[in-house]
């Protein structure tokens, strides 16, 4: 069976080429590999190298959210996103969910979007959406380091939980020792087989997600992307 693998935020594409070689030469699989990045000069270079090697690899100069612009018509098997900055990781997860990827490997990088929401609440004195949960902000009110670390953890918790809500088994692992990089968290998700308890589990997961959003007064970027593209499946569940 031909595998379709997409590396979002491929950058220098060392991982992209190595993964293609591993799957084809070592695992003996037939693979179409796609790399996506916004750096034009790198994409041109990668396409030239792939053509020189005669490998079925295709590099696209576009933000992850705009990949192929085919309304998610092309299914993929594996989605990889290694240190795609801030919401670029969410864009990669959007593509994975929309294209029904069987395996997702995402190592998030900087986390700004949700941190900005926490900052806005603090500047507003803890009002707005968190009116009944001001105590949650005490954790991040006095120290920027705690606020950033909390935003990091919350961002990736929301990503993992949204994946669970959309039918994935999710594991959070440290894929390299922290002495090499602080950005060593990996979201590893595999598509689950549909079973009889799925509806009950989906309802519980959706309640947990809503509870966390209410407590912190935030809206995860991945939710907004899924809603924008008609892929949010939880309104009918919750």
């Amino acid at each position: 069976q031909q595998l379709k693998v997409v590396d979002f935020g491929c950058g220098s594409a060392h991982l992209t080429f190595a993964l293609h070689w591993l799957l084809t030469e070592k695992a003996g699989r037939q693979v179409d590999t796609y790399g996506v990045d916004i750096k034009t000069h790198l994409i041109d270079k990668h396409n030239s190298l792939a053509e020189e090697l005669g490998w079925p690899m295709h590099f696209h100069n576009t933000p992850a959210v705009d990949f192929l612009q085919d309304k998610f018509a092309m299914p993929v098997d594996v989605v990889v996103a290694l240190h795609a900055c801030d919401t670029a990781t969410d864009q990669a997860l959007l593509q994975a969910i929309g294209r029904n990827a069987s395996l997702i490997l995402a190592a998030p990088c900087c986390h700004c979007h949700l941190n900005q929401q926490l900052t806005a609440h603090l500047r507003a004195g803890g009002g707005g959406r968190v009116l009944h949960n001001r105590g949650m902000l005490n954790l991040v009110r006095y120290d920027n380091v705690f606020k950033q670390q909390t935003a990091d953890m919350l961002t990736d918790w929301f990503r993992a939980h949204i994946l669970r809500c959309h039918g994935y088994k999710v594991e959070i692992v440290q894929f390299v020792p922290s002495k090499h990089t602080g950005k060593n968290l990996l979201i590893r998700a595999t598509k689950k087989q549909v079973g009889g308890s799925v509806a009950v589990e989906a309802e519980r997961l959706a309640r947990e997600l809503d509870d966390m959003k209410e407590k912190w007064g935030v809206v995860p970027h991945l939710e907004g992307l899924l809603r924008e593209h008609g892929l949010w499946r939880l309104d009918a569940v919750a």
Side-chain angles (χ1 to χ4, degrees):
Q1 180 182 354
Q2 190 100 356
L3 287 178
K4 281 188 168 58
V5 178
V6 187
D7 182 6
F8 289 102
C10 63
S12 62
H14 295 139
L15 172 65
T16 323
F17 280 97
L19 183 59
H20 184 87
W21 176 84
L22 180 67
L23 290 172
T24 55
E25 299 299 321
K26 290 298 184 180
R29 301 297 299 268
Q30 292 184 328
V31 184
D32 281 331
T33 301
Y34 297 79
V36 181
D37 205 282
I38 59 175
K39 301 180 181 69
T40 304
H41 68 287
L42 291 178
I43 296 301
D44 293 341
K45 175 184 174 183
H46 301 336
N47 277 319
S48 296
L49 178 57
E51 183 177 359
E52 180 181 335
L53 293 170
W55 291 0
M57 301 180 71
H58 322 275
F59 291 89
H60 294 256
N61 180 211
T62 180
V65 70
D66 295 326
F67 176 59
L68 296 185
Q69 294 189 329
D70 62 348
K71 298 182 179 179
F72 309 103
M74 186 187 82
V76 302
D77 299 289
V78 180
V79 163
V80 177
L82 178 62
H83 293 165
C85 287
D86 196 18
T87 56
T89 294
D90 299 297
Q91 294 180 25
L93 296 179
L94 164 75
Q95 292 286 349
I97 293 172
R99 298 180 187 280
N100 201 34
S102 299
L103 173 64
I104 303 169
L105 300 170
C109 189
C110 47
H111 303 70
C112 299
H113 183 268
L114 194 142
N115 189 27
Q116 292 168 353
Q117 293 185 57
L118 293 179
T119 300
H121 289 320
L122 289 172
R123 288 175 177 170
R129 291 173 56 90
V130 288
L131 181 62
H132 301 295
N133 298 282
R134 289 180 179 177
M136 301 296 291
L137 288 181
N138 289 336
L139 181 64
V140 299
R141 186 180 303 280
Y142 301 103
D143 300 283
N144 283 331
V145 171
F146 286 160
K147 180 162 69 69
Q148 183 62 64
Q149 290 178 344
T150 301
D152 292 356
M153 183 174 64
L154 282 174
T155 298
D156 291 327
W157 185 91
F158 279 120
R159 288 167 172 162
H161 215 63
I162 288 172
L163 287 170
R164 293 186 183 102
C165 289
H166 286 79
Y168 285 88
K169 177 184 177 183
V170 182
E171 298 173 285
I172 305 296
V173 300
Q174 291 184 317
F175 67 103
V176 293
S178 57
K179 66 180 180 180
H180 297 302
T181 174
K183 306 297 184 182
N184 65 339
L185 183 146
L186 178 71
I187 301 173
R188 182 170 61 200
T190 53
K191 193 73 174 178
K192 294 192 296 186
Q193 298 294 324
V194 177
S197 62
V198 168
V200 175
E201 182 183 22
E203 185 176 349
R204 175 181 61 81
L205 292 170
R207 286 198 305 268
E208 292 173 353
L209 184 67
D210 286 342
D211 182 61
M212 284 291 283
K213 288 192 298 181
E214 181 181 358
K215 278 184 168 62
W216 286 97
V218 296
V219 178
H221 189 66
L222 180 55
E223 175 180 340
L225 288 174
L226 290 166
R227 288 185 181 278
E228 179 183 346
H229 291 84
L231 297 172
W232 188 253
R233 305 170 186 171
L234 303 185
D235 287 337
V237 173

